[in-house]
Each structure stands twice: as C-alpha cells, then as structure tokens.
Amino acid sequence: MAGFPREAVADRLLSASVRTSYDPVVDIDWSAPPVPGAYWLPPTRSSLYGTPLWDAMTEDQRVELTKHEVASAASAGIWFETILMQMLIRHYYDADPTSRHAQYALTEVADECRHSIMFGRLIEAAGAPVYRAEPFDHLLGRWLKSTATGPQMYAAILIAEEILDSFQREIMADESLQPLIRMVSRIHVVEEARHVRFARDELTRQVEAAGPVALAYSRLVIGRAAYSITRRLVHPRAYAAVGIDPAAGRAAARANPHWRATLRWSAQRIADHLTELGLVAGPGRALWRRAGLVEG
Ligand SMILES: [Fe+2]
Ligand SMILES: [Fe+2]
C-alpha cells in the first residue's frame, strides 16, 4: 500500500495528525477577557484602512471594526467548513474505507468539526453576531456541497483554505494583536497545512484525470467559488457595528486600493497554483478579475 504515492501522502498526513492536533475547547482559555485597545486584525488589513471612513473613526471604533471583520471571517469559515465536510463525506461514501486516503479524508472532517466549534466560540467570545451568507450564496453553497466532485471540489476547498491561511499566518505572528485571535489562528494554520497538502496533491491527480468538457465546467465553478469567497469575507453588516451604513461601507471597501491589494495578496499563492494547473482561464477568469483577485 505504501508503494502508491496517494497512500504514502495520506499515511504521512495521518501520522502528522496524531503528532499535532488541538482540542480548542480545552486548549484555549475562553474565559480570558479581551485586551483593551488591542486590534483583532493588523489595522492595515482592515477593509476600510486608508479610506476617509477610516480616518473619521476613533481608535476604539477601528479596533471594534477589526473585531467584527474577524467575526465575519469566522462566520465565513464555518460556512466553508460545513460545505467542505459534506464534500469530503460524499467522497468517502465511494472510497475504500481500508485505504489511508479515505481514512485521512475522515481525519480532515474531524479537524473541521473542531475548527467550526472553535470559530463558533470565537464569535461568542468576541460578542459579535454570526454573519451569515446572503440567501443566493447560501443556495450556491448548498448546491456545491451536494454536487461538487473532482477538480472543482478540491479547488474550491483550496481557495477558501489558502485565503484564510494568508490572514491567519500574519495574525499569529503579530504580538500586538488580541491573544485569543492569535491562538485561534495558530491552531488553524498548523492543522490546515495538512489539508492544503492533501487537497493540492489530490487536485493535481483530478486535473490529469479530467476531460476537456469537465475542465471547462470546473473553471467556471472555481471562478464563481473564488468570487463568492472573496465577496463574503467582510459582511456589509459588520460596518453597522461602528455606525457606518452597510452599503456605504461595502462600496468604500470595494474602491479601496489597500483592500484590493490585501485581497490579491491573500489569494496570490492559490491563484498562481490554480493558474499553473490551467484552472484560471476562459470565462471563469473573468470572475477572478471581478473578485479583484487577479489582474488582466
Ligand atoms: Fe478548518
Ligand atoms: Fe481545512
């Protein structure tokens, strides 16, 4: 079994999961109060940083906005993880349960169960609302989790995981930020590194196996997934928490060159990777452009 690369990859990931896994319910001190005045995101990564709306805010309001932006991203994280868990379970339904590959897929579902509980606790500890997806995106998510297989399934997983990962790597390294969000980020980064390895490996195999029609369809679904994920990162209602009209906040963020640069930065690694695999092309590429993730 170990002679097959797919099995060898899964075997290594299973061993790594045994070595480094967290139980956020007990590994995080949920009762610790937030540190007064500490940001939840580096302020330069706020969607309004550098805009007139940002300049008009007090320091307390800026901290508060980053808290709601984090709660919005955590809400999006729960949404993506629920979709991803169902996709992996559907994949497992057809797999050989004695294979390491199938067993790793289940291990990843177990990781995501703990992550979604962690993000739920984070939102609760922040005292922020759950920022749910818009009804149309909610419906698209339901369709994706019920139907996606092959390249679009693994590409959608990677887009969500790698964009969040870019933010979380920066957060965990920044000692000026709230300790709670740094710890949540650290746990997520460590465990997601395995998921990214698994999905990248599987995606390469799926692209090689797919025919031209399936790939053309995949590019469209992948582009739409990238668009939804990006648009969903900061829920417009997060702006209302600091007294900014949601529509005005969203319009300011979309026009904000700092935020546009942040989005491109967060998606750089995965956009390059999917471009190399030929998955960011044709009509699907227009959706990446509209999402502000690629230029040209
Ligand atoms: Fe996760
Ligand atoms: Fe994951």
Side-chain angles (χ1 to χ4, degrees):
M1 217 183 255
F4 295 96
R6 193 194 206 201
E7 284 296 273
V9 168
D11 199 48
R12 270 206 308 278
L13 293 173
L14 279 165
S15 303
S17 306
V18 171
R19 273 198 312 275
T20 339
S21 286
Y22 294 89
D23 182 351
V25 172
V26 294
D27 291 337
I28 292 179
D29 179 5
W30 294 103
S31 63
V35 173
Y39 279 92
W40 295 71
L41 267 180
T44 51
R45 297 297 182 200
S46 169
S47 60
L48 294 185
Y49 179 80
T51 63
L53 285 172
W54 180 265
D55 296 339
M57 271 188 264
T58 65
E59 184 68 6
D60 283 350
Q61 284 177 315
R62 292 172 183 167
V63 169
E64 185 71 5
L65 176 60
T66 62
K67 185 176 90 178
H68 285 269
E69 287 177 322
V70 159
S72 170
S75 304
I78 293 169
W79 180 50
F80 305 150
E81 287 180 343
T82 310
I83 292 170
L84 147 61
M85 285 189 269
Q86 189 171 344
M87 293 197 296
L88 285 171
I89 294 278
R90 280 196 297 107
H91 180 64
Y92 178 80
Y93 188 74
D94 295 314
D96 171 4
T98 67
S99 70
R100 295 293 176 266
H101 177 80
Q103 289 165 8
Y104 183 74
L106 275 193
T107 304
E108 182 165 323
V109 173
D111 288 352
E112 301 297 14
C113 285
R114 298 193 308 277
H115 294 171
S116 286
I117 292 170
M118 174 170 75
F119 291 147
R121 290 277 177 108
L122 171 67
I123 294 166
E124 182 190 353
V130 177
Y131 289 106
R132 295 193 180 280
E134 309 285 339
F136 184 63
D137 276 339
H138 193 75
L139 196 69
L140 280 181
R142 191 187 303 285
W143 170 75
L144 189 74
K145 75 193 176 73
S146 311
T147 65
T149 53
Q152 68 265 35
M153 166 178 157
Y154 283 97
I157 289 174
L158 279 169
I159 294 166
E161 288 184 336
E162 296 205 28
I163 287 179
L164 280 180
D165 195 62
S166 300
F167 284 95
Q168 289 175 333
R169 280 176 191 272
E170 202 172 76
I171 290 168
M172 70 184 230
D174 187 337
E175 291 178 5
S176 72
L177 301 178
Q178 290 288 346
L180 175 60
I181 187 62
R182 292 187 63 215
M183 184 62 181
V184 165
S185 297
R186 191 159 73 88
I187 290 176
H188 206 244
V189 164
V190 166
E191 300 193 340
E192 289 296 323
R194 301 193 290 263
H195 303 178
V196 168
R197 175 77 174 84
F198 183 70
R200 279 189 174 220
D201 190 67
E202 196 54 28
L203 178 61
T204 308
R205 224 174 270 120
Q206 300 275 356
V207 168
E208 280 164 9
V213 175
L215 278 179
Y217 174 67
S218 287
R219 284 187 204 105
L220 266 183
V221 177
I222 291 166
R224 190 59 177 81
Y227 180 81
S228 288
I229 290 163
T230 312
R231 287 289 162 111
R232 181 55 199 80
L233 268 185
V234 182
H235 196 289
R237 272 209 330 277
Y239 302 117
V242 289
I244 294 172
D245 170 61
R250 182 167 59 183
R254 284 187 186 166
N256 180 7
H258 288 284
W259 178 238
R260 297 175 72 86
T262 287
L263 287 179
R264 280 197 306 278
W265 157 82
S266 71
Q268 179 92 55
R269 233 177 353 147
I270 185 60
D272 288 351
H273 184 68
L274 296 181
T275 301
E276 268 170 42
L277 290 173
L279 294 173
V280 185
R285 188 174 171 89
L287 286 160
W288 284 81
R289 219 171 19 240
R290 264 180 66 198
L293 297 179
V294 297
E295 290 170 318

